Amino acid sequence: MRRWITRAEFEALMETGVFPREERLELIAGELARREAVNTAHAVAVVLVSEVLQQVLPKNLHFRVQLPLALSEYDEPFPDLAVVSGSPRDYVSEHPTTALLVVEVSEASLKTDREVKGSLYASAGIPEYWLLNLRERILEVYREPAADAHAVYGAVYRWRQVYAAGEQLCPLCAPDAPLAVERLLP
């Protein structure tokens, strides 16, 4: 028999140092999961996406790098980037419970990021999810979250588009700001 832990229990365990921060854990479906290791390409990609988004985000939005989102009682992922509303000080007492855009930089965890995290973010109603696929050097963009009983979290994104170097896209949270995909890739 399994015993799932809640987000409150997870945060308490992290605060008391039961699990060292360098272990890079997150809470997915009430279970502790190790996050993908940050190799140099992953680190560079996170910095590049951060720099590009910093230039185009409206003043009422900001991004968080590898910080938790409190999506449900049993889910606290640490996406590589999350664009949230308000200012950083709006989240002094608790983590954001949603985002306008979530970005995962992925290589070894592609299947999990597509199927599990994609379904989690869709179930949380996050309007846009980017998967920066380092293996294939593409950006997978997911939009239009919708219910799907067959998905891990009971939701999927109905719209998916793949972008490669040489192509541009506009994030939903900055619709007048075309971004060149090659600027995101290491």
Side-chain angles (χ1 to χ4, degrees):
M1 293 179 61
R2 291 185 179 179
R3 185 218 186 258
W4 290 279
I5 65 171
T6 66
R7 191 169 42 81
E9 291 168 327
F10 173 65
E11 289 177 3
L13 291 168
M14 296 303 286
E15 284 291 317
T16 58
V18 170
F19 301 108
R21 297 260 179 226
E22 60 272 10
E23 196 164 349
R24 297 182 42 80
L25 298 173
E26 61 188 345
L27 185 66
I28 304 293
E31 296 182 355
L32 298 177
R34 285 197 171 89
R35 294 181 279 152
E36 182 174 356
V38 178
N39 62 27
T40 54
H42 188 128
V44 169
V46 170
V47 171
L48 292 173
V49 174
S50 300
E51 288 177 350
V52 168
L53 288 176
Q54 181 73 41
Q55 295 170 5
V56 302
L57 285 183
K59 299 244 186 271
N60 63 332
L61 305 177
H62 74 281
F63 65 89
R64 297 166 50 94
V65 178
Q66 297 177 339
L67 295 172
L69 288 176
L71 297 183
S72 79
E73 183 180 2
Y74 295 99
D75 294 287
E76 189 170 282
F78 284 64
D80 287 309
L81 285 109
V83 174
V84 299
S85 61
S87 77
R89 287 188 176 90
D90 293 338
Y91 303 102
V92 169
S93 60
E94 49 185 36
H95 298 301
T97 58
T98 191
L100 298 166
L101 167 65
V102 168
V103 181
E104 293 284 3
V105 175
S106 187
E107 197 165 11
S109 61
L110 274 168
K111 182 175 173 51
T112 298
D113 289 343
R114 276 191 194 117
E115 296 173 12
V116 178
K117 286 192 171 179
S119 183
L120 170 60
Y121 297 143
S123 74
I126 294 171
E128 187 168 27
Y129 172 45
W130 291 2
L131 182 59
L132 190 59
N133 179 335
L134 296 182
R135 265 194 218 159
E136 299 174 49
R137 298 190 49 77
I138 58 173
L139 178 66
E140 301 174 26
V141 176
Y142 299 86
R143 295 176 177 163
E144 299 178 15
D148 182 331
H150 300 291
V152 175
Y153 277 87
V156 295
Y157 286 95
R158 290 187 300 194
W159 187 91
R160 176 183 184 262
Q161 182 72 42
V162 175
Y163 296 88
E167 296 182 297
Q168 294 185 339
L169 77 149
C170 294
L172 294 176
C173 58
D176 298 323
L179 306 178
V181 172
E182 65 262 11
R183 291 186 60 207
L184 308 174
L185 295 166

